[in-house]
Structure formats: C-alpha cells, structure tokens
Amino acid sequence: MTRVWGSIWPPFVASLLLLGWLFEVAAGSSDSTWTAKHEAGRCALKGQCGKKSFFGGQLPCPDNSAAEVPNEDTRNKLVAICGDKWAKGAICCDDDQIDSLSTNLKRAESIISSCPACKENFFNLFCTFTCSPDQSLFVNVTDTQEANTGKLIVTELDTLWSDDYGKGFYNSCKDVKFGVTGGKAMDFIGGGAKNYTKFLKFLGDTKPFGSPFQINFPRPSSGDFTNMTAANPAAKACNDTDEAYRCACVDCPASCPELPTIAERGACHVGALPCLSFAVIIVYGAFLLLLVAAVSGHIAYQKHSKRKSERLQLLQDAALSEDEDEGDDVRHAGMLEKPQGQYWINSYCDAAFKKLGFVCARFPWITISVSVVVVAVLSIGWVNFAVETDPVRLWVSPSSEAATEKQFFDSNFGPFYRAEQAFLVNDTHSSGPGPVLSYDTLAWWFDLENRVQRFRSMKEGVSLESVCFNPTGKACVVQSITGYFGGSFANVDPDTWREELRHCTEQPGSQECLPGFQQPLSKDIILGGWERTDDILDAEALITTWVVNNHPQGSEKEAVAMDWEEMLKNLLQDAQREAKHRGLRLSFSTEISLEQELNKSTNTDAKIVVVSYIIMFLYASLALGSTTLTVNSILHNPANAMVQSKFTLGVIGILIVLMSVSASVGLFSACGIKVTLIIAEVIPFLVLAVGVDNIFLIVHEFERVNLSHPDESVETRVSKALGRMGPSILLSASTETVAFALGAAVGMPAVKNFAAYAAGAVLVNALLQVTMFVAVLSLNQRRVESRRADCFPCVRVGRADTGRHGAEYGYEEEGGLQRFIRKVYAPALLARKVKIAIVVVFLGIFTAGLALLPTVPLGLDQRQAFPRDSYLISYFNDLDEYFNTGPPVYFVVKDSDVSERIHQQELCARYSTCHSFSLTNVLEQESKRSDVSYITGSTASWIDDFFTWLNPTNEECCQEHGKTCFAGRDPPWNVTLYGMPTDGEFLHYLSKWLSSPTNEACPFGGAAPYSNALVIHPSSTTNPVPASHFRTSHTPLRSQSDFISAYASARRIASDVSESQNITVFPYSKFYIFFDQYASIVSLAGTLLGSAVFIIFFLTSLLLGSLATGLVVTVTVIMIVVAVLGSMALVHVSLNAISLVNLVICVGIGVEFCAHIARAFQFPSNAVLAKAPHHLVGRMARGKDARAWASLVNVGGSVFSGITVTKFLGVAVLAWTRSKIFEVYYFRVWLALVVWAAAHALVFLPVALSFVGGEGYIDPESEGSLEDDLNARRYRSLLPDEDVDSDDY
C-alpha cells in the first residue's frame, strides 16, 4: 500500500487551459483564401477577433499583412517572456496576445521549469508560433467562421515544424517529472504521448479544456506545401553542453552519471547446472569409475589365483580343502580378535551409572518423589508463561538492523498505515476469467462502498471517517474506481460511463476524475487483468483499498481501528455471498486478518498434533512389552498377558517426557524467555523422539540382564542394565543438548528460544530417565515377580510366570524383529558385495543431496501459514495476479544537517550543483534498471520540491508580508542553489512550506505530501532536521525471491549512497522486517549446523574413545542432514526460520539414531558377539564385521521400534492437517528425516563402521560372571541347535 499525498490536479487543469489560451493567442493559418502569400516578413494571423460562443475563448483574426515593428512597451513585454532574441525586428502579435502568452506560459512553467531545455523549447514554439515575423512561411489558415462580434476568426490551421525540431522538443520533455506527484510532465502537457507526432497532435487537437480550435501539425514530407517552409529553430537537448539549459538527472537520463555495474551473485553455472552440483556429480562419477576399475581388477586377480591354486592342489593329494582351513582359521581369529582393552572414560561412566541405577532401584519411592518435587519446582515458572505471536519479535533479532531501523522509522515518522483491500473478480465461469465491468456491477460496488462508509463498529461505534487517513481534511483515502465518478453512482451515466472511464484512466489528473481526497488514481491500483488486451474495459478485477491510520501497538486508538476492521471483515464476508450470486468472486484482507488466520491455523493444527502424540504414546506403551510378552508366551500361558504387559511402564515413560517439557518451559519462562508456536508444537515431538528411544534401550537391556542374571536382585539387575545403557544415553543426550544449546547464541528469537527450550527439555528428560524411570522400572519388575497385574497392581495373577528364569522367556522367545535382525538382516547387510553396493548407493544419495543444495529456495510464502480453507489464500492469489503496483520504500537520511548547502547537494537532484551521485540522482538511475534494482517510478524528493516552492515564478506559493518570497532577491532564485536559504533562514522557510497546502494556486505545498517526511527540532543548535525520508516504490513483487532480492537491492543502494556521500542512509519498507532473516539465514544455518557437527565429532570421539568412530558418526549425521536438504528441494520446502529449526532437529535426532549403534559397536557385548556368524568373525582387522553385526543385534531393534516406528506413526498423522505450513514444513521435512535417519543409521552406519570404525573396547558389563564368561568362550558346537547360525550366511 503506497502512502498517499497531495493533489496534482491544479497543474494538470492549468496545462489544459494553457493549451487553449496559447492557441487562442497564436492560432494558425488560412487556406489560400486567408493566407494568400507565404513569404518572409508576412503574418498569417494577428490580434483577437472574438469567440465561437459566449463561453469560448478569444480567437485570432486571419491576417496576411506584413509584420510590424512594435513599440517599446510591447517589445519589453515580449523580451521578458520570450528572451533577448526578440529584442529586434518586426513581429506578428500585439499587446493583448503577448499579455495572454505571458500569463499562460508562466502556468506551464510550473510544470516544466525543472528542465531548462524543455522549458526553452516549449516557450520557443509558442513565442515563434505567435509572434514570428515570418509566420506565413510555416502557418496556413484553412478554415474560419464568423465570431459573435461579426468578425472572422480562425477555427483551423496547419503549421509546419521540422521533424528535427519535433523530435528534439519531445525528447527534451518526455522524461521531465512533475515533482509533487512523481508523474511525468508529458502526461499533462502531451497526454502521455509516446512520440513527437502524438505530442504535437495532442497540443493541437480541439478539446474542452485544451485548444479552442484545431491546430494541425502535418509532417513537411506528407504533402505539397507550396511556398511554405517548416520552422526549424535549434531545439535544446536536455543534456545540452550549455549549463543554462542542461536538465537534472531526474528529468534527463542522458544527464545522469553511469552507475557501477552490479555483479551477479550466485551465478556460477556450468550449462544449466550450478557449479556445486556439477562438481559433486563429477567427483561421484570419478569415484564410480575408480570403483569399477578396482572391482574388475580384483575379479581378474581372483580368477588368476584360483587357477594357480587348482594347479597346486594336483600336487597335494592329502591336503585339507581350502574351506576347511579357512573355517579353522576363522574360529581361531574369532577368539583372538575380540576387543581386549578397556576405555577409562567408559569404565568410569559405567561404574557411575551402575551405582546410580542401584541407588534409584533400592530407593524407588524417594527417587520418584525427589524427581517430582524438582520438576514441580521448575514448573513454577509457568506463572510467567507467555506465547510470542508477533511475527516481528519471532523472526527478527531486536538488535538487528531491520528491527532498529523499524523502531527509528515508527518513532520518528509514525507507524505505517493500515491497509484494507478487496478484489472483485470475474473468474467463476468455466470459460475462464472475463471482464468484470458492467453497469449493474458498478451499481452494486458503489452500494457496497457506501455501506462500508456508513456502517459503524459494534464495540466503539466508529465509522470509516473516524479511523481513515484523511490528508486533505475533506475525504478519506479510498482508492477505487468509484473515485473516478465522485464516489456517487448518480454520476455514472449508463450510456457514457465507458468513455468517461477510458478518459479517467488515461488522464487521472483531470478535474472531473479526481476523487474526494484529490489524489489521482492510477489504473494499476484500481483495475487488474486489463493488460492482456490492453483495453481497460476488459479488466478482470476491481480493486478497492481503504487506508486507515495506524497507531502504536497496544494503544487505545489501535484498538478502535481494529474494532472497525472487525466490522469491515464481517461486512465483506457477507458481500462475498452477494458476489457469488452475481457470478463474481470477492476476496479481501484487513489489517487484523493475518494474525487472526494464523491463530486459527494454530488452533486447528493443535488437534492434529495432539492426535499425533496420542498415537505415539499408545504405540510406545504397547511396544515396550514386546520382548517378554510374545505370542508364544501368551499361547503357552494367557495369564502372562496381564503380568508381563508394560503398558503402565510405557505411560510413565511418556509422562517423564511431558515432565521434562514442563520443567524446561517453567525454567525458561521464569527467565523471561517466551514460548513460540514452534516450541509448543515441536518440543514434545522432539523430546518424545529422544526419550522413547532411551526408554526402549533401557527396558530391552534390562530384559537381557533378566535372562543372563535371573538370580540376581532387582537392584543389581537394574544397575547392570543402566551401567551398560547409561553411557549410551549420556552420549546422545550430551551431544544433542550441546548442539541445541548452540542455537541459543543466535539472534533470531524463534531459533534462539527453541534452542534454549529444546536443550533444557532434552537434558531434563535424560536425567529423569536415568533416575525416575529406573526407579519405576525396578518397581515394575517387583510387580512382575510377585505376579501382580499391570495397571492393577493390587490384583495378583497366580497362574502367571514370574520371569525369573531364562528358560521361561529366553532367546527362544525373542521378538520377531529381534530374530529377523539377528538371523537375516544383519548377516545379509554385512555381506561383502552388499556392503560395497550400500556404500555406492548412499554416496550417490549424498551426492544428489549436495547437488540439490543450490536449488533449495529461500522464503516463506504466507499463504502456507493459513488453513487450507482460509479466505486470505484467494486474496493473496488475486494480489499476485492483478495488483500491478509494488510496495513503497523509504530511504531515510539521519544525522545530516540539511540546513547546510553541502548536505543539500548530497540529497537533491533538480539543480545544477547537486552531486552526481546524490541520493535522489542514484534512486532515479536505479529506477532505470529496475530488473536488478527492483526500484521503479520517481522519487518524492522533499528538498527538490521545497526549493521549487520557493521559485518566485510560482507567485501563489510562497507568500510573505503580502509579497512573493524571493521576488527581487539578490542573488535571485536560481538552479545553482547559490543564494538559496541556509541555516536559520532555511528552517524558517521549511516550516512555512510544511504548513503550506496543496491547491490550485500552488501545487507544490508541502503539507499534504511531506508533513510527516521530516523530523524538525527548531530549538536544536546542531541539527534542526535530524531525519527525513525520500519515498519511491519497488516493482511489483510476485514471489519470495522477488521480496528477498528487493530487500537486498535496497540495502545495496543505501550502503552505496552512504559511502559515496558520507551520510547515513537506510531503506525501510513494511515488509523488510519479515525478510531480514534471509540476509543471513544461509550463513546462520551453516554456522549452526557446522558448530553442531563439530560438537558431535568432539563428544562422540571423547565418549567412544575413537576418532575413527567419532568421524564415522559425524559423517553419517552430515549425510542425514544433506539428504533432508535435498529432499526439501525436491518437495518444495524453502529455507527459513522454521525449516532452520527443523534442520537443527535433524542433527539432534540424527545423533539419537546413530549414537547407540556406534557405542554398541565400540563396546560390544561378549555374549552377543559370541553368537556372530562364523563368516563374519575375524573377516577384517579387530573383527569389525562381527562388532557391526553385534551392534545391530544389540540395539538395532530398539532403534527401529523405539524411534523409527514411533516417529513414523506420529508424522503420518500430520498428513491430515488442514494447515499448509504443517504439511510442508513439518510433515514433509519430518517424514524425510525419519526415513533418511533410519536408513543411514540402520543401513549405512553399520557398513561404514565395518570398514573404517575404530578399535573396540571391552564392555565392563560383559565381565565378572560365569554366564558371561561361558557365553564369550564356548564353541558354537556347544550352543543350542536353534541358536547356531547356519553356514549359509
């Protein structure tokens, strides 16, 4: 919505009247009857002989007499207006003509005086036409009639002017701006002509407020003009070498300095591919070629070795077969290559967690009570709970440039206006969009706007008049087609309204087309869709904009405006139904609509989120019992279902997740950190992903301990389980907490607040899991062993098994998933050929992700933030389709003393001493390359218009003591600025100008257009004008990319001007605050993710005791994040603050997927490792294949069932959300995260560890018992038959 300024109609009307008066004064030639002689020194018309009618103007007499030498007074008058070249010789005009010529040329001067060349050519044409002594050579009267005086008057004539002069005249004026409106002077003096022939035709055509008789400007080559010679004075160019005629840059592009070329950013491409994409594809291709070469060489070598071996075997009759030898070696290798050493940090952590587990299991109720009390104390902070919904405070750091600049603008110039806008579109028919304009439609639209003006709000009882922007004090600013007809349907004639509409769209400054607020209405802001046929009557959309005053946030006046907007919203919603009955469609938006619809979206999504969490809760609770509560055990003894169930344990685990979230929210709310909608919707999801996995790990490990140590006390078994799983939980929780905490260092509140809450919730959750949950686990095991029912512990089930002996629920009763991983998946995955294929495939996925990175767009289409059925979606679609005006942009100058000449020259543009690269000059030049600058239109330069207002030729503008300011001043007013006011005099006239109205007498008054464009401190002795702004417009911005580029361009322009002129300039537009994040979001994302990855590498290497394994985990997490980014590009998810939060989540959950498998690889269980298929044991140095197999068997099932399936079920529910933003930024991203994280952790990571994983260590929990020792040392032949893995693996 553009700011609306004062009136421009008076100069326009004056220009039309001027043309009429000028041609009254001068008039044309007669046909051979009236201009019989065409020769030098002879006239074609002279004097004034009467009028066509009572209301017409005086017309000249046909007069073919000789030119005459005037008297001294007449000569002086002519020289005063037309210049010294008329100081000698005869002329063809009299006193009356010269007086009229002088009066009317002065009126034209107010429009074109800023360009001396245009003014000179304009004056020269009419002075020559009126008074040239050789008038008959280029003027021929072709028609006359009798006037009311009885004399003959000229009614039509031909006048010949050379093509060179016509072109030069037009070119000198075509780019001249009319200061107050920023429009072109050619629109007023030439009807918007696009070439010199149309310009001259407009000057000569008879029109009510233009020429009173027909003046034809035939081209000299178009006919036979006997004895006539085209007038051919030298036309002044706007970039004339004579400084007296040279025009300013804003009025003459040829006078402008050349701006530096803008270097294209991010333009590195190889053909159609970005350079990064091309490079990674080439590298991957080279890798594949090398791999093919290596595999081919290996196969050839094997064939050669096989043939050689076959020859040797002929000489060795009694030798053992190769298979037999290999089998024996493998078995011995398996015994020798198991991990032998211990890692002291792991041993220390194991002992600490073992002790912690024993204490918590020994004193469960004390542990639970203390945990609940601590969480309750932390949750007290909920009393300060507050949700931040203001988008500005969410996405922009309070210390960022955009935030401080917005604060400066609002506090000095006032908050930006509130805009209410409606589109009436004719696109409801199957045939497609059609014209919306008709007499009946106009009648209904007029009635609707009248209702908007009349209706009052429900609470405050205010009408539009009470809240609207009213710069003239006469009418509210309502930009609508109704303004062309004075806002009254009574002015719409059913027969002529089309012609009137055409006239107003072509000449919006015409007196009869001006709305009540006296601002010309451009067709681009009130009609849309006409561009397809270039016929305004084919417009497909009517556009109306109501401009409402804005006020400080939270003020009473703002509440009044919002109350009126609520009434408008309800009225327009009713009007939508009326439009539908008419076969039309109405879309609209009010200032309050955006926040209301966003909240509506959030409320709608809350239900989906709750359903998602409930499903995850139920699954987790049921799945926890899958190890002990199997189908076989239920069939064997149905009573087991009541005892072995772990539903209560699962519910407690979920409750711990909620407690951790509550504690984190309470803690940070107490610190004054507000909750955001992202936090409310994402943190439980994130903590559940982390927490449930840890719960599964603890429970499953505890069941293994129950198998291997059935006779130990519950406390001992719990301590052993926590001793083994505690370090793994420490690894994942510490890396996630630190990674999330890094985000708190950034300035963007949405990311900063999320990072704080996430880090706190993950940390508290981990602490509660190793204390409170362990205590609950011990209580649950006591319940099981006492045969009490789950959920109803008071009920004893006597027939149920106690679960104290391994034979009752041992490996023969292991879950189907565990059995599948142990017997099928893990051995198949670690086959040599499969491993190579997996590496190739996952490196290909990584390459594809990197190649897609440059195509991830930036931005957040606000349409995605609304529910699918929101009325704002159609409004924003119509805004993109039909509104052809860009948002205004203000270049604010601060701390520059404009009362000094040097600083005036740094800002101005219309005067000869203005700096070539002054602010206004640069903006004018940038508007000429709008494809890269995104700047269009003229700049409203207050300092140029102020000095123009002081021009004494504008006699009715600056008046002081009954006299025209600067009249007779020495030095006089001039285009060099020397002699212009400075210091105190400058401030005196500036204050006077800012209170001067814009009216017919003076179109340059500053009250309407610039009253809030300057900050004035009259009492200041250092800088009385500390801030001011210069307004221009952006091009129409259709996409997020356009908005981001426009913001970046404005920043560049302001920075360049600040540097070149040594002043402080910054750009401001209403949308900048929302797009400031994109100036740094790529670097911010790189910093956050890079720092998180470094922390992951450091902590995993430290806690796992291996740089190699730490590097493998880190690389895997990087691959997960890159795969998610690549998926974002494919499914059209943009990078913004929301997706950046999700990328940080990707890092955290990626670690959660990988950490447990990596630790199980580094510290394998001897009991599990001993069961590895013999073809894996000892295959590589230190038995990496066997340890990779053991890690999958040990924790792979927990990772899959505890986090993969849980998250997949929760994410799947989000597919039914009504909110586009949830579907795009949560469903799509989280689904990609779950798929890629699970694939990398369960497929790629074990393979990568089997190749380059670090040297393993002894797990302390695998030592110390007879059962462990036997499991570690027994030969396979001693194992139960069903546990012996077939050699087929």
Side-chain angles (χ1 to χ4, degrees):
M1 175 62 227
T2 57
R3 290 206 178 196
V4 251
W5 307 114
S7 153
I8 65 165
W9 67 265
F12 174 74
V13 175
S15 67
L16 292 178
L17 294 174
L18 159 72
L19 296 178
W21 284 325
L22 289 174
F23 289 120
E24 289 173 26
V25 172
S29 45
S30 148
D31 96 276
S32 58
T33 305
W34 306 113
T35 312
K37 296 180 179 180
H38 297 284
E39 59 188 19
R42 189 169 294 278
C43 303
L45 52 101
K46 185 190 296 183
Q48 297 176 345
C49 289
K51 305 177 181 180
K52 283 186 179 181
S53 65
F54 178 79
F55 295 102
Q58 290 287 333
L59 298 182
C61 316
D63 188 339
N64 200 210
S65 62
E68 299 176 353
V69 177
N71 59 41
E72 185 175 354
D73 290 340
T74 302
R75 176 75 68 187
N76 290 337
K77 287 181 180 180
L78 182 60
V79 170
I81 187 64
C82 293
D84 292 339
K85 62 184 177 181
W86 297 92
K88 297 180 181 179
I91 60 175
C92 286
C93 55
D94 59 18
D95 272 0
D96 290 338
Q97 289 177 289
I98 294 174
D99 288 341
S100 297
L101 181 66
S102 175
T103 300
N104 295 303
L105 284 178
K106 285 184 178 180
R107 290 192 176 98
E109 189 175 12
S110 66
I111 300 175
I112 59 175
S113 61
S114 62
C115 180
C118 177
K119 172 190 169 184
E120 170 64 20
N121 293 331
F122 193 92
F123 277 41
N124 192 28
L125 182 142
F126 286 105
C127 289
T128 302
F129 177 80
T130 305
C131 297
S132 172
D134 302 323
Q135 192 182 62
S136 64
L137 288 177
F138 58 89
V139 175
N140 185 53
V141 176
T142 58
D143 197 8
T144 63
Q145 75 175 47
E146 185 175 332
N148 54 3
T149 60
K151 298 180 181 178
L152 288 178
I153 54 175
V154 176
T155 57
E156 186 173 357
L157 58 80
D158 294 335
T159 177
L160 288 183
W161 291 79
S162 69
D163 290 335
D164 290 341
Y165 184 80
K167 292 177 182 177
F169 180 21
Y170 173 77
N171 289 335
S172 68
C173 295
K174 67 179 181 180
D175 294 306
V176 176
K177 306 298 190 302
F178 185 55
V180 175
T181 66
K184 290 187 176 182
M186 185 57 65
D187 293 337
F188 302 101
I189 65 172
K194 302 301 181 184
N195 54 57
Y196 76 97
T197 57
K198 292 184 178 180
F199 178 31
L200 294 177
K201 182 179 184 301
F202 180 85
L203 291 176
D205 283 346
T206 303
K207 54 181 70 70
F209 294 98
S211 175
F213 60 94
Q214 183 62 37
I215 310 296
N216 301 313
F217 287 87
R219 306 307 338 120
S221 59
S222 63
D224 181 16
F225 300 97
T226 305
N227 299 325
M228 295 181 67
T229 302
N232 190 26
K236 299 295 183 183
C238 66
N239 63 335
D240 202 279
T241 55
D242 188 343
E243 289 293 335
Y245 299 108
R246 189 177 182 87
C247 302
C249 170
V250 294
D251 296 324
C252 178
S255 297
C256 294
E258 185 175 354
L259 294 179
T261 302
I262 300 174
E264 292 188 33
R265 295 179 300 174
C268 179
H269 282 76
V270 178
L273 288 176
C275 291
L276 175 63
S277 305
F278 179 80
V280 296
I281 291 173
I282 291 297
V283 170
Y284 183 66
F287 164 76
L288 289 181
L289 290 176
L290 291 175
L291 180 64
V292 170
V295 170
S296 300
H298 179 69
I299 293 174
Y301 177 77
Q302 280 189 326
K303 290 181 177 179
H304 173 73
S305 298
K306 184 176 181 180
R307 288 194 295 270
K308 182 177 179 181
S309 176
E310 289 174 348
R311 289 194 298 270
L312 290 175
Q313 286 180 2
L314 295 176
L315 303 175
Q316 300 176 359
D317 296 333
L320 294 173
S321 71
E322 184 177 353
D323 290 341
E324 292 173 330
D325 289 339
E326 181 181 352
D328 186 62
D329 290 342
V330 164
R331 287 185 176 86
H332 287 288
M335 295 297 297
L336 296 175
E337 307 231 2
K338 293 179 181 178
Q340 302 297 316
Q342 290 191 0
Y343 182 47
W344 68 272
I345 291 181
N346 182 72
S347 298
Y348 176 81
C349 291
D350 181 275
F353 278 108
K354 190 173 182 180
K355 185 175 182 179
L356 176 64
F358 187 87
V359 172
C360 292
R362 173 64 64 87
F363 308 102
W365 291 111
I366 294 177
T367 302
I368 294 171
S369 300
V370 171
S371 300
V372 171
V373 169
V374 171
V375 170
V377 170
L378 291 175
S379 299
I380 293 175
W382 276 81
V383 298
N384 291 331
F385 178 83
V387 178
E388 183 61 80
T389 58
D390 185 354
V392 173
R393 295 193 180 98
L394 278 176
W395 310 124
V396 182
S397 169
S399 60
S400 69
E401 281 187 325
T404 55
E405 289 165 357
K406 180 182 185 301
Q407 176 62 31
F408 182 89
F409 188 92
D410 289 349
S411 60
N412 285 278
F413 306 112
F416 200 82
Y417 298 114
R418 307 175 71 88
E420 337 293 340
Q421 194 170 56
F423 289 80
L424 183 66
V425 184
N426 181 15
D427 65 353
T428 61
H429 305 290
S430 58
S431 58
V436 72
L437 294 172
S438 70
Y439 186 77
D440 289 339
T441 299
L442 287 177
W444 177 71
W445 196 247
F446 270 84
D447 176 67
L448 177 61
E449 290 192 13
N450 286 333
R451 280 183 275 165
V452 172
Q453 292 180 355
R454 296 194 315 269
F455 281 22
R456 294 182 176 273
S457 63
M458 295 295 293
K459 294 181 181 179
E460 303 293 337
V462 295
S463 64
L464 174 63
E465 185 178 3
S466 303
V467 297
C468 72
F469 175 55
N470 188 343
T472 63
K474 297 179 181 179
C476 294
V477 173
V478 180
Q479 297 176 328
S480 170
I481 191 174
T482 61
Y484 284 157
F485 301 94
S488 174
F489 188 66
N491 297 328
V492 181
D493 189 296
D495 299 321
T496 63
W497 67 268
R498 293 177 179 83
E499 289 72 22
E500 293 171 1
L501 178 60
R502 287 187 190 276
H503 167 66
C504 288
T505 54
E506 294 172 0
Q507 298 295 329
S510 299
Q511 172 76 35
E512 63 275 14
C513 298
L514 288 172
F517 61 92
Q518 300 296 290
Q519 169 70 29
L521 294 169
S522 169
K523 58 187 176 183
D524 289 329
I525 63 175
I526 62 174
L527 294 168
W530 54 268
E531 303 86 350
R532 295 177 177 84
T533 62
D534 202 29
D535 185 351
I536 204 68
L537 296 179
D538 290 334
E540 297 168 5
L542 290 179
I543 309 169
T544 295
T545 306
W546 295 269
V547 183
V548 175
N549 285 316
N550 206 352
H551 305 280
Q553 191 172 21
S555 65
E556 182 179 346
K557 290 184 177 180
E558 184 196 42
V560 171
M562 293 172 68
D563 182 42
W564 180 84
E565 288 168 345
E566 187 67 33
M567 180 279 298
L568 177 65
K569 185 188 75 171
N570 295 333
L571 175 61
L572 292 179
Q573 285 177 334
D574 291 338
Q576 284 182 322
R577 291 185 283 273
E578 297 176 25
K580 187 175 181 179
H581 290 314
R582 294 174 172 272
L584 303 173
R585 179 176 56 80
L586 176 65
S587 65
F588 72 93
S589 172
T590 67
E591 194 74 17
I592 62 173
S593 295
L594 185 63
E595 186 171 344
Q596 286 183 345
E597 289 298 288
L598 288 175
N599 291 337
K600 176 181 175 183
S601 174
T602 302
N603 295 335
T604 301
D605 294 332
K607 301 174 184 177
I608 298 295
V609 173
V610 169
V611 171
S612 173
Y613 291 155
I614 289 175
I615 289 177
M616 290 187 287
F617 292 170
L618 291 175
Y619 167 77
S621 299
L622 294 173
L624 279 174
S626 62
T627 300
T628 55
L629 189 60
T630 62
V631 175
N632 288 340
S633 67
I634 294 176
L635 293 176
H636 174 74
N637 187 355
N640 285 341
M642 298 182 64
V643 175
Q644 299 293 342
S645 168
K646 293 183 176 62
F647 186 82
T648 301
L649 190 62
V651 170
I652 297 297
I654 302 305
L655 181 61
I656 287 175
V657 171
L658 299 179
M659 289 172 65
S660 64
V661 173
S662 176
S664 180
V665 171
L667 174 63
F668 290 108
S669 293
C671 296
I673 300 177
K674 289 187 176 182
V675 175
T676 67
L677 297 178
I678 291 180
I679 292 173
E681 295 163 344
V682 174
I683 294 296
F685 188 95
L686 172 65
V687 180
L688 191 65
V690 175
V692 169
D693 188 30
N694 292 338
I695 290 172
F696 270 74
L697 288 169
I698 293 173
V699 172
H700 288 172
E701 182 61 27
F702 180 67
E703 296 303 333
R704 292 191 183 99
V705 174
N706 280 337
L707 169 67
S708 60
H709 300 80
D711 297 323
E712 297 282 358
S713 67
V714 171
E715 293 88 343
T716 301
R717 280 176 277 157
V718 169
S719 68
K720 284 182 174 291
L722 187 61
R724 177 163 179 77
M725 287 296 106
S728 185
I729 294 173
L730 173 65
L731 172 61
S732 62
S734 60
T735 52
E736 290 161 6
T737 301
V738 176
F740 289 141
L742 286 173
V746 306
M748 190 182 298
V751 178
K752 181 177 182 178
N753 294 6
F754 162 79
Y757 279 92
V762 169
L763 178 60
V764 173
N765 183 71
L767 293 175
L768 290 177
Q769 284 173 336
V770 297
T771 55
M772 180 178 173
F773 183 77
V774 167
V776 174
L777 180 64
S778 68
L779 292 175
N780 182 75
Q781 184 60 28
R782 291 187 176 96
R783 176 193 62 77
V784 172
E785 293 179 2
S786 62
R787 295 184 173 90
R788 296 186 180 275
D790 189 24
C791 300
F792 303 98
C794 296
V795 179
R796 186 179 180 86
V797 184
R799 297 181 57 188
D801 299 328
T802 63
R804 287 294 302 273
H805 302 286
E808 293 177 344
Y809 61 102
Y811 272 108
E812 68 274 18
E813 294 276 342
E814 68 181 336
L817 175 63
Q818 290 288 97
R819 182 180 296 275
F820 172 76
I821 292 175
R822 181 172 65 87
K823 299 182 70 64
V824 179
Y825 177 72
L829 180 72
L830 295 171
R832 180 176 286 109
K833 294 180 180 179
V834 174
K835 290 200 301 181
I836 293 174
I838 287 173
V839 170
V840 171
V841 170
F842 276 83
L843 287 180
I845 293 172
F846 182 62
T847 299
L850 289 176
L852 289 169
L853 283 183
T855 65
V856 176
L858 301 181
L860 172 60
D861 190 336
Q862 49 197 336
R863 281 169 288 200
Q864 294 179 342
F866 307 129
R868 297 177 188 272
D869 58 352
S870 172
Y871 65 89
L872 286 183
I873 294 178
S874 60
Y875 164 75
F876 283 110
N877 290 338
D878 291 338
L879 188 70
D880 285 349
E881 180 71 18
Y882 298 114
F883 199 61
N884 292 315
T885 300
V889 55
Y890 302 85
F891 285 85
V892 179
V893 180
K894 62 178 184 177
D895 302 328
S896 180
D897 188 359
V898 293
S899 65
E900 297 182 3
R901 176 80 65 243
I902 182 63
H903 295 303
Q904 295 168 1
Q905 293 168 329
E906 293 166 348
L907 303 177
C908 68
R910 293 186 177 277
Y911 302 93
S912 59
T913 59
C914 296
H915 291 180
S916 296
F917 291 98
S918 68
L919 173 59
T920 310
N921 271 336
V922 168
L923 292 177
E924 180 64 25
Q925 282 293 80
E926 292 287 359
S927 70
K928 293 177 173 61
R929 56 179 186 184
S930 57
D931 56 325
V932 293
S933 70
Y934 294 88
I935 297 293
T936 187
S938 301
T939 301
S941 171
W942 66 264
I943 195 164
D944 287 306
D945 290 342
F946 168 54
F947 285 143
T948 302
W949 177 78
L950 291 176
N951 189 341
T953 59
N954 300 315
E955 297 176 350
E956 301 299 323
C957 286
C958 183
Q959 293 282 328
E960 199 164 34
H961 308 302
K963 297 181 179 179
T964 301
C965 304
F966 281 70
R969 180 185 174 100
D970 187 21
W973 186 98
N974 60 85
V975 295
T976 66
L977 291 183
Y978 292 106
M980 292 294 190
T982 58
D983 301 326
E985 185 184 30
F986 175 88
L987 190 61
H988 165 73
Y989 283 114
L990 183 65
S991 300
K992 188 177 180 66
W993 172 65
L994 288 175
S995 61
S996 173
T998 302
N999 51 37
E1000 180 179 1
C1002 178
F1004 297 100
Y1010 298 114
S1011 58
N1012 61 352
L1014 296 95
V1015 178
I1016 299 180
H1017 296 158
S1019 59
S1020 174
T1021 57
T1022 56
N1023 189 0
V1025 187
S1028 63
H1029 67 61
F1030 294 74
R1031 175 178 52 87
T1032 184
S1033 294
H1034 281 301
T1035 56
L1037 306 176
R1038 308 295 188 191
S1039 65
Q1040 294 292 291
S1041 176
D1042 287 346
F1043 280 100
I1044 294 170
S1045 299
Y1047 175 62
S1049 176
R1051 282 282 179 206
R1052 172 189 58 79
I1053 294 169
S1055 176
D1056 291 347
V1057 173
S1058 298
E1059 183 178 352
S1060 67
Q1061 299 301 303
N1062 196 28
I1063 57 178
T1064 302
V1065 180
F1066 70 83
Y1068 174 77
S1069 190
K1070 190 175 182 179
F1071 73 87
Y1072 285 177
I1073 195 74
F1074 302 108
F1075 288 86
D1076 179 69
Q1077 59 176 290
Y1078 302 110
S1080 59
I1081 196 167
V1082 173
S1083 60
L1084 176 60
T1087 302
L1088 274 179
L1089 299 178
S1091 301
V1093 164
F1094 174 77
I1095 292 296
I1096 291 169
F1097 173 69
F1098 174 78
L1099 290 178
T1100 52
S1101 299
L1102 179 67
L1103 294 177
L1104 294 178
S1106 170
L1107 289 176
T1109 301
L1111 182 61
V1112 170
V1113 171
T1114 303
V1115 169
T1116 303
V1117 172
I1118 292 174
M1119 293 175 69
I1120 291 171
V1121 174
V1122 170
V1124 172
L1125 280 167
S1127 301
M1128 287 170 56
L1130 292 175
V1131 298
H1132 310 294
V1133 178
S1134 302
L1135 178 61
N1136 50 51
I1138 297 176
S1139 49
L1140 178 56
V1141 169
N1142 280 331
L1143 289 175
V1144 176
I1145 291 175
C1146 289
V1147 174
I1149 293 186
V1151 171
E1152 183 68 25
F1153 268 97
C1154 299
H1156 305 303
I1157 291 178
R1159 189 180 181 282
F1161 173 82
Q1162 281 297 110
F1163 305 96
S1165 169
N1166 283 341
V1168 176
L1169 191 61
K1171 300 175 183 296
H1174 74 80
H1175 76 287
L1176 295 177
V1177 181
R1179 175 188 286 172
M1180 299 184 65
R1182 294 176 297 280
K1184 292 179 182 177
D1185 276 16
R1187 286 192 285 130
W1189 177 91
S1191 68
L1192 281 173
V1193 172
N1194 198 23
V1195 299
S1198 297
V1199 170
F1200 181 80
S1201 60
I1203 184 169
T1204 305
V1205 177
T1206 306
K1207 289 297 99 192
F1208 182 81
L1209 291 175
V1211 169
V1213 177
L1214 299 181
W1216 282 272
T1217 180
R1218 293 172 57 203
S1219 171
K1220 191 71 174 177
I1221 197 170
F1222 244 71
E1223 184 220 322
V1224 173
Y1225 292 99
Y1226 295 108
F1227 173 69
R1228 295 181 188 177
V1229 175
W1230 287 352
L1231 181 61
L1233 169 60
V1234 171
V1235 170
W1236 290 125
H1240 282 79
L1242 295 174
V1243 180
F1244 174 77
L1245 180 60
V1247 170
L1249 290 172
S1250 72
F1251 278 125
V1252 293
E1255 184 174 349
Y1257 298 98
I1258 295 175
D1259 180 18
E1261 290 305 316
S1262 295
E1263 296 183 325
S1265 70
L1266 177 62
E1267 292 88 354
D1268 289 336
D1269 186 64
L1270 288 175
N1271 282 334
R1273 298 178 181 277
R1274 75 178 70 176
Y1275 289 97
R1276 297 178 188 278
S1277 59
L1278 300 180
L1279 293 174
D1281 291 340
E1282 63 241 20
D1283 282 340
V1284 177
D1285 293 297
S1286 170
D1287 288 347
D1288 293 340
Y1289 292 128

